[in-house]
Amino acid sequence: MRYLVTGSQMKAIDRYAIDTVGIPSVVLMERAALAVAGAAEELAAELGGVSGTEDASAAEPGGISGNTGRRCGAADRGIQIWAVCGPGNNGADGIAAARLLHNKGYKVTVILAGDLQHSTEEFRLQRRIAENLNVRVIEWNDPLPGRCDLLIDAVFGVGLSRPVEGEYRRVLEMMNLAGAGKILAVDMPSGIHSGSGQILGVAVRADLTVMFGYRKLGSVLYPGRDFCGQVQVCDIGFPEAGIEQLGGPEQIAVTYGPEDLERLPYRPEDSHKGTFGKVLVVAGSENMGGAAYLSALAAYRMGAGLVKIMTPQKNRLMMQQLLPEAILSTYQPGEMGEEPELFHEKIEKECAWADVIVLGPGIGQGEGVWELMREFLTNAYVPMILDADGLNAVARYPELTQYFTENIIVTPHMGEMARLTGLTADQIRRDIVGVAAEYSGQHGITCVLKDAATVVCGRDGQTYVNSSGNSCMAKAGSGDVLTGVIAGILAQGGELWDAAALGVYLHGLAGDRLRGAGSGHGMLARELADEVGRI
């Protein structure tokens, strides 16, 4: 599990390290500068036509430590580096990094921007040291050096909270037009909100962003994720207690990485199919069984012991051919109106059988959907995932939310969330975490808000933001597979928020593995389900 902090949370961690623990700010700053300078050397080496250190074997894969003692080689000597620095501590980090690069023989110019009369104490210190060492320091409206090969963006960092205007806007526009071969951002690209990932007027698009301590939430959310380029998170000495005093996972967003595969449900050898749970998939409409098949397949691939599909009678042959492992429970769409008591008894029986229920994929919006939804919502006492047409029914009949319990997981995409909340998709994207958290808190449920960076919010305030997955997964049926994956984890005893977060990560990881194996644009939803079973 990896923490994702906002700018205000990062500032609190910084204050704790300095004021409570007693680590001098200049110590943290020097370590930050070393990380930035090391990353800049890697980029300079790429621009100079070599990779890593002069002795490539000394470089650590994916790291920067191999460069800490390096002086620029012949291929790098012509590289022109600009460090554009604002008057705050982010700018001070940039000046310190520029000084380290200057000491190693690089051609560096520090370009100061903003109101220098109101600069921080650390900024003034770093500027004084740099000038004492004859680092070239100019202001942004002075004549600029003729060429910029590598640009270090140290204007705002994580502190920006309002639109960029006036002089700062002109500075960022100048940086974007500088023609740099590579751009390295310090902690966050300037102009990107560190919490929401939104562009605040204008922003710098980096090739690499070096972050200190923890990854920033806005670097995982779009469009900030695109503007950060590659991300390196560097340990500069913040004590773990700093994040603990913020409240831990219930107050701080998290994401998962490969190390979290250990969260997969344990499968004891002394077991049988009942050990791994029973999933009821209520899905499909007449002659429209694809969603039911994909959700059921994914639940099986995730490890559920038994999966039953409840679907209209006309889908029986299709389901038997596509997924003979599934149990079938079929009905005639008219049963609800013609024999309501018998249909009620059937639903009671199915709810009693299931450990987890999937409700909604492909059920349509025809007559009887409201009654089908109400029957399941009032008779189920196990975790239930509402997806697709189930969510459209809730949007159409908001009174269904009165039957919501803490066992509910909703999995809307942007369009469905817009119908559920009355907001536009653009409004949701501007605060995707806030919208998901509000809906989750309002109804006391778990909300999986699907987007390029899917957000999972629990009723107790937990927030997960996904960092796996890719655009090749944007295909019909992908969401049905995700629903089945989450159901499969729940069937094996997973808690609601944990299952939702892990399911989202595994779903994306399966997509990443398929793209890496060459699936690319031709990736199909059923391949995602199959790949989940191979993780």
Side-chain angles (χ1 to χ4, degrees):
M1 183 174 69
R2 306 171 185 184
Y3 289 113
L4 302 171
V5 300
T6 64
S8 59
Q9 288 171 335
M10 194 65 239
K11 288 181 179 180
I13 292 168
D14 192 58
R15 285 196 302 271
Y16 178 85
I18 295 167
D19 298 339
T20 303
V21 179
I23 302 173
S25 63
V26 291
V27 172
L28 296 171
M29 187 166 288
E30 195 69 12
R31 293 194 64 177
L34 283 165
V36 172
E41 288 186 84
E42 289 285 354
L43 293 179
E46 291 178 23
L47 292 168
V50 297
S51 59
T53 63
E54 290 175 326
D55 175 8
S57 64
E60 296 186 6
I64 59 173
S65 58
N67 278 335
T68 55
R70 179 179 185 273
R71 292 190 65 83
C72 64
D76 307 334
R77 289 193 186 111
I79 298 293
Q80 296 279 354
I81 301 176
W82 295 6
V84 185
C85 305
N89 282 0
N90 189 253
D93 292 334
I95 297 173
R99 178 242 304 162
L100 294 171
L101 292 166
H102 170 83
N103 286 348
K104 292 185 178 183
Y106 290 90
K107 296 178 180 179
V108 184
T109 300
V110 172
I111 302 171
L112 305 180
D115 185 0
L116 303 181
Q117 299 301 313
H118 293 87
S119 58
T120 64
E121 180 181 345
E122 289 85 351
F123 175 92
R124 294 190 294 272
L125 173 64
Q126 294 297 343
R127 178 179 181 178
R128 187 165 59 250
I129 296 171
E131 290 175 337
N132 288 342
L133 290 170
N134 295 317
V135 177
R136 185 183 183 190
V137 179
I138 64 175
E139 295 189 23
W140 80 276
N141 48 9
D142 291 336
L144 298 174
R147 185 179 87 245
C148 175
D149 300 306
L150 170 59
L151 189 148
I152 298 173
D153 166 22
V155 179
F156 290 125
V158 300
L160 187 65
S161 60
R162 60 181 183 272
V164 181
E165 299 174 340
E167 178 182 327
Y168 281 116
R169 185 180 184 94
R170 294 192 294 275
V171 169
L172 299 197
E173 289 171 345
M174 175 271 291
M175 294 164 67
N176 283 331
L177 294 172
K182 297 286 184 179
I183 297 179
L184 187 163
V186 178
D187 227 9
M188 279 295 289
S190 293
I192 297 295
H193 191 281
S194 61
S196 69
Q198 292 300 300
I199 302 170
L200 298 177
V202 63
V204 174
R205 186 181 292 273
D207 297 287
L208 171 67
T209 301
V210 176
M211 297 186 179
F212 310 134
Y214 302 94
R215 187 159 184 175
K216 309 309 179 288
L217 178 57
S219 73
V220 180
L221 298 169
Y222 286 92
R225 191 157 159 181
D226 272 343
F227 278 74
C228 287
Q230 293 185 324
V231 173
Q232 287 183 10
V233 180
C234 299
D235 178 9
I236 65 169
F238 292 116
E240 189 68 23
I243 204 155
E244 292 171 359
Q245 56 91 29
L246 292 178
E250 290 189 2
Q251 301 298 322
I252 304 170
V254 299
T255 193
Y256 287 165
E259 67 277 8
D260 290 288
L261 291 177
E262 67 182 22
R263 298 173 182 273
L264 284 165
Y266 172 65
R267 297 183 72 84
E269 294 300 322
D270 182 15
S271 58
H272 52 82
K273 58 181 178 286
T275 306
F276 304 114
K278 296 173 285 186
V279 176
L280 175 65
V281 178
V282 185
S285 50
E286 287 191 324
N287 299 313
M288 298 286 286
Y293 159 66
L294 290 169
S295 290
L297 173 65
Y300 263 136
R301 291 298 192 197
M302 190 58 247
L306 286 165
V307 179
K308 181 187 288 189
I309 301 173
M310 184 174 179
T311 192
Q313 173 66 26
K314 284 191 176 181
N315 294 337
R316 174 177 285 276
L317 182 59
M318 181 197 311
M319 292 299 107
Q320 288 175 326
Q321 292 174 332
L322 289 172
L323 194 63
E325 298 89 346
I327 306 168
L328 294 180
S329 172
T330 59
Y331 63 92
Q332 297 290 353
E335 281 184 45
M336 285 175 277
E338 296 168 6
E339 299 177 308
E341 291 186 4
L342 289 177
F343 195 75
H344 172 77
E345 290 176 5
K346 176 182 285 190
I347 289 179
E348 280 190 327
K349 179 182 176 182
E350 301 298 0
C351 288
W353 176 87
D355 295 312
V356 183
I357 297 172
V358 170
L359 178 59
I363 62 173
Q365 290 295 295
E367 185 179 353
V369 168
W370 180 88
E371 186 62 27
L372 181 70
M373 293 287 298
R374 191 188 67 82
E375 283 286 346
F376 272 100
L377 287 170
T378 54
N379 285 285
Y381 299 95
V382 296
M384 181 183 295
I385 306 169
L386 300 184
D387 186 30
D389 285 328
L391 297 172
N392 289 328
V394 172
R396 187 176 177 185
Y397 307 107
E399 62 271 21
L400 289 172
T401 59
Q402 68 183 301
Y403 305 117
F404 280 8
T405 69
E406 62 184 20
N407 285 328
I408 297 287
I409 298 176
V410 296
T411 60
H413 57 54
M414 282 291 165
E416 291 160 348
M417 195 64 170
R419 290 189 282 276
L420 288 170
T421 61
L423 301 171
T424 67
D426 284 343
Q427 287 173 319
I428 296 169
R429 284 195 178 93
R430 284 197 290 270
D431 186 19
I432 186 171
V433 172
V435 171
E438 182 176 354
Y439 194 83
S440 175
Q442 178 184 357
H443 298 291
I445 61 174
T446 300
C447 179
V448 179
L449 181 45
K450 296 181 291 193
D451 197 33
T454 293
V455 172
V456 181
C457 287
R459 62 188 181 87
D460 294 324
Q462 313 99 310
T463 300
Y464 170 86
V465 182
N466 196 42
S467 53
S468 65
N470 58 79
S471 62
C472 297
M473 300 168 63
K475 296 285 182 68
S478 181
D480 303 315
V481 170
L482 172 60
T483 296
V485 170
I486 296 172
I489 299 172
L490 288 169
Q492 296 170 79
E495 296 295 327
L496 276 87
W497 182 85
D498 296 327
L502 181 59
V504 168
Y505 173 69
L506 292 172
H507 181 253
L509 180 62
D512 289 339
R513 286 168 53 139
L514 283 171
R515 186 170 70 171
S519 248
H521 294 74
M523 192 184 301
L524 295 175
R526 65 173 178 265
E527 294 174 325
L528 283 172
D530 292 339
E531 188 64 29
V532 165
R534 289 189 280 267
I535 294 176

